[in-house]
Amino acid sequence: MPETLSYTESELVALLKQRTQAAFSYLYDNYSGALYSVVLSILQDKELANDVLQEVFVKVWRQIDQYDPGKGRLFTWLVNISRNASIDTLRSKSYNAQKQIRELTETVYTAAGSINTETDKIGLRKIVNLLKEEHKILIELAYFQGYTQDEISKLLNIPLGTVKTRLRSALIQLKDFLKK
Amino acid sequence: MDIKEYIQSGIIEQYVLGLADPDEVAELQLLRNEYPELHEAISDFEQIFEETIRANQVQPPVFIKSAVEKQLFGDDHSGAIVIENAFAAEPDKKSTSGLWKYLAAACIILLVASTALNFYFYSGYKKSQDQYETLLAERNTLQANNASYQQDLKMFQDSVMKRVEMKGMPGKEQNVATVLWNQNSKDVYIYARSMQEVPTGKQYQLWAIVDGKPVNAGLITDCVGLCKMNRIDHAEAFAITLENAGGSPTPTLTEMYVFGKI
């Protein structure tokens, strides 16, 4: 058995607040794989993903005092930081929204599947790909592309109310798949 | 609140994935404190979420760990621990509270301005209200007077009335008055067409000359148009004298102003 210790989330948070290198090391070793998959599933580019992952860990280190356990688990908090950083990068780079949509619609609607089959298996994408088309596209746009429901409504030319209800259904479906 | 429905609505998944909007987030935070089953459902999903992500994780390149360590702890392990300014991590908080302070200040200024305007408008309103009420009163008076005049006009035209024109006495020629004498009812009315203004303490009195003797027909008051006087059954003439206020049992003949023979 490895000599690695296993901390509960609250123990880890307490450790991290002490800002020891050991604490950082534990965090990286136990969470980088998960967080990297989140970043990669959004950016789909390893170079960019590497940069963003570093950015994420620095951010986490700085902002650990802001983590509120009453609002959710540490893991969720880390994933959301990772997701937000990835989306910021996605939106600020030369990727433009139109290009994304074209690629995305190709991915979703062509029988051939996505351009990069590898990315299909990363993080949540593996599960999302099991959803039916109209749900899949919403989660792609909302989760992986960072579009607001309002923006999605305009992009797909669907009423905002429909976007809201459909997204909720999509997420319920997603949850059902996760449980299996 | 049907908490079961809420739990099954998809909002939990939306929240954990970071897809809920601020209102929805706020509502969920409130509700989770109230409903332990909600709190549990959220934790359950978070667990599943973690398990799923971990099941599909991807190991990053090895160099990244040391790159970050270098950034956070410096080159060698005995080097300075770079503790980024924790306060720098709070720009969001600051700008949010700054925004709230600004909004609060703006609200207070608006409130004060609004209150000042209220006072200004109210005083204007009050003034208008007073003017309006004054106008109303004047209007009412005018209407009443007009009605009176209409009636008087009718009386003048009424054939049952005997009209007695009274001429001014020598030295007082400008005074003119008219008596209307209802031949049926014997009511007497006086119309002081053009009588000198009465000095303070004095009053005009109407007399009917009956069988050569003066009979009091009433005091002339400040009436509008025709004044109703005493009933007189017979008379040969009418006269007006100026008496002391309250009248006199016998006329002061030197103070006769107008006289009219029937």
Side-chain angles (χ1 to χ4, degrees):
Chain A
M1 251 344 272
E3 73 282 343
T4 43
L5 298 162
S6 186
Y7 295 112
T8 62
E9 281 203 342
S10 44
E11 286 168 345
L12 178 55
V13 171
L15 262 177
L16 288 169
K17 287 185 176 176
Q18 288 171 31
R19 298 185 186 277
T20 58
Q21 195 162 342
F24 172 78
S25 190
Y26 180 91
L27 177 72
Y28 188 90
D29 292 343
N30 288 277
Y31 288 83
S32 59
L35 301 187
Y36 191 60
S37 70
V38 170
V39 173
L40 202 54
S41 66
I42 292 172
L43 292 172
Q44 305 194 359
D45 177 316
K46 288 211 165 161
E47 295 287 322
L48 273 177
N50 293 344
D51 291 341
V52 173
L53 186 66
Q54 284 186 56
E55 208 184 289
V56 165
F57 274 100
V58 171
K59 212 179 251 187
V60 166
W61 192 251
R62 283 185 191 151
Q63 296 179 6
I64 190 65
D65 293 310
Q66 281 177 43
Y67 165 65
D68 179 359
K71 301 226 168 101
R73 298 183 71 240
L74 177 68
F75 187 84
T76 307
W77 186 71
L78 294 169
V79 167
N80 284 330
I81 290 179
S82 310
R83 180 174 164 262
N84 291 333
S86 309
I87 286 167
D88 286 346
T89 303
L90 197 71
R91 297 195 137 197
S92 70
K93 291 287 181 172
S94 56
Y95 295 98
N96 56 61
Q98 300 306 322
K99 189 168 172 226
Q100 283 295 310
I101 280 297
R102 258 177 271 130
E103 281 175 25
L104 181 69
T105 17
E106 281 169 34
T107 310
V108 171
Y109 290 112
T110 50
S114 71
I115 297 156
N116 185 351
T117 44
E118 225 179 69
T119 59
D120 275 358
K121 301 212 178 73
I122 296 173
L124 265 185
R125 277 196 185 271
K126 193 174 181 188
I127 313 294
V128 170
N129 280 326
L130 298 173
L131 298 172
K132 63 179 180 178
E133 297 302 321
E134 65 172 25
H135 287 162
K136 196 195 289 190
I137 191 167
L138 282 183
I139 299 201
E140 287 281 354
L141 288 173
Y143 190 78
F144 295 104
Q145 306 279 337
Y147 285 103
T148 62
Q149 292 181 57
D150 201 46
E151 287 166 340
I152 294 172
S153 155
K154 295 192 170 90
L155 274 169
L156 298 181
N157 205 23
I158 308 174
L160 182 61
T162 312
V163 173
K164 285 189 187 232
T165 17
R166 221 179 262 180
L167 183 63
R168 290 263 177 104
S169 316
L171 290 168
I172 292 167
Q173 283 288 290
L174 185 70
K175 178 198 68 179
D176 289 340
F177 276 117
L178 292 182
K179 278 186 167 165
K180 287 182 187 149
Chain B
M1 164 110 255
D2 186 347
I3 197 63
K4 276 210 178 80
E5 207 184 301
Y6 184 81
I7 288 172
Q8 285 160 13
S9 67
I11 182 62
I12 292 176
E13 291 73 20
Q14 219 176 335
Y15 172 74
V16 171
L17 264 57
L19 298 176
D21 67 40
D23 293 336
E24 293 167 325
V25 169
E27 185 184 30
L28 185 136
Q29 315 275 30
L30 276 174
L31 289 171
R32 76 181 300 167
N33 293 328
E34 254 189 83
Y35 297 95
E37 60 261 64
L38 173 62
H39 185 88
E40 211 183 298
I42 297 171
S43 299
D44 286 348
F45 181 72
E46 284 186 286
Q47 292 275 173
I48 294 168
F49 182 60
E50 179 170 357
E51 283 161 27
T52 308
I53 302 276
R54 284 188 182 283
N56 300 308
Q57 66 180 280
V58 178
Q59 292 307 316
V62 175
F63 72 86
I64 292 182
K65 184 176 182 184
S66 30
V68 179
E69 280 176 331
K70 199 169 164 178
Q71 206 176 334
L72 297 182
F73 304 105
D75 264 325
D76 48 71
H77 295 261
S78 60
I81 293 175
V82 181
I83 298 177
E84 299 288 332
N85 190 353
F87 300 111
E90 295 184 41
D92 288 343
K93 268 193 186 168
K94 268 212 185 113
S95 64
T96 318
S97 74
L99 179 65
W100 282 117
K101 277 185 188 158
Y102 170 74
L103 282 175
C107 281
I108 291 171
I109 289 168
L110 278 173
L111 183 64
V112 170
S114 168
T115 309
L117 263 181
N118 275 335
F119 277 116
Y120 174 71
F121 283 131
Y122 181 71
S123 81
Y125 161 77
K126 201 90 213 341
K127 202 164 159 207
S128 298
Q129 190 71 353
D130 291 342
Q131 286 174 337
Y132 172 72
E133 258 152 43
T134 310
L135 262 178
L136 263 185
E138 278 178 10
R139 196 272 316 258
N140 288 341
T141 310
L142 281 172
Q143 273 184 342
N145 289 354
N146 188 48
S148 217
Y149 292 132
Q150 297 288 353
Q151 270 224 299
D152 294 350
L153 191 62
K154 280 201 184 112
M155 284 218 245
F156 267 100
Q157 293 161 342
D158 198 340
S159 53
V160 81
M161 294 290 194
K162 191 172 184 73
R163 199 190 286 190
V164 183
E165 303 289 354
M166 293 163 71
K167 291 210 173 85
M169 302 307 288
K172 301 177 183 103
E173 282 91 351
Q174 69 274 35
N175 288 286
V176 180
T178 310
V179 161
L180 285 183
W181 189 15
N182 190 323
Q183 295 302 289
N184 288 344
S185 64
K186 298 297 176 185
D187 286 321
V188 175
Y189 299 89
I190 182 89
Y191 178 56
R193 269 169 47 203
S194 168
M195 295 293 288
Q196 243 167 270
E197 210 182 292
V198 172
T200 13
K202 298 278 192 188
Q203 203 167 3
Y204 282 123
Q205 191 165 2
L206 179 70
W207 303 96
I209 311 298
V210 185
D211 297 330
K213 287 185 210 111
V215 171
N216 175 38
L219 289 162
I220 296 176
T221 54
D222 231 339
C223 59
V224 173
L226 277 171
C227 299
K228 187 153 199 262
M229 308 305 282
N230 301 348
R231 276 179 72 249
I232 298 288
D233 286 336
H234 302 287
E236 298 112 35
F238 284 96
I240 295 178
T241 60
L242 185 68
E243 306 291 347
N244 285 327
S248 158
T250 50
T252 312
L253 292 170
T254 46
E255 289 296 307
M256 192 179 294
Y257 275 68
V258 291
F259 180 86
K261 211 168 157 184
I262 310 291

